[in-house]
Amino acid sequence: MHEAAPTRRTFTVASYNIHKGVGTDRRRDPGRILNVLNEVGADVVCLQEADLRFGTRASVLPRFMIESHTDYVPVPLDVQHDSMGWHGNAILVRQGIAVEHHDIIHIPCLEPRGVVTATLGLGDAGLTVFGMHLDLSGLWRVRQARAIATLADAARSARPTVLMGDLNEWRAAAGCFREFGRHFALLDPGPSFPSRRPLGRLDRILHCERLRVEDCGVHRSALAAAASDHLPVWARFAPA
């Protein structure tokens, strides 16, 4: 647990598929990923592909590097000893933000998939965050979105709620968007994949009616274009 941060009227969240730390030059460089996170400067970050896929599924970003190179700490998901995430999904919070609750969620899947969630002492009324990486199959994405949206809808009755991650959706009006759209507003920060010449709007952020979006976008820099095959997306919120 961390001491509660002072209440603030606005906060920034970000989502970033870090491609297991492997950049467009095919080098695995966790320090480069951390430098991109410092460029973005969000209060809360949901990561995808944050763990290696095989073996012990060790974290791509060693905890000592996170804490020595950034102002972030990982939300402790308590899954595997060497992992930071759950099926590659992880949450980082800026030091001083209280983590009041955290959990992992099993969802219907064809490939190994999961969702991570945390309740944070951030904003006027606290914040619940869901981080996800949806399936490549459209049918399974719809099933996953339905399950996640149902859980997040229950969470928003208690506090403001944000969902974010790599939805793996190329279409503008897909079934998974319809499922989420029953309860949440879907932001379109812009194209974020592939990082050098982004075309796909795969990385998305969603929010409930208790939050007002002040701005959102894709973080573009020379470093971000090299660090992963995705660019980070971000959104700044205030109470509605």
Side-chain angles (χ1 to χ4, degrees), residues 125-139:
L127 180 72
T128 296
V129 173
F130 288 80
M132 56 190 161
H133 189 182
L134 300 191
D135 208 284
L136 294 171
S137 160
L139 176 62

Side-chain angles (χ1 to χ4, degrees), residues 53-76:
R53 186 170 184 179
F54 300 108
T56 62
R57 296 186 63 86
S59 173
V60 169
L61 306 176
R63 186 183 181 102
F64 79 90
M65 286 190 67
I66 297 172
E67 296 182 354
S68 62
H69 288 72
T70 75
D71 292 330
Y72 294 107
V73 292
V75 170

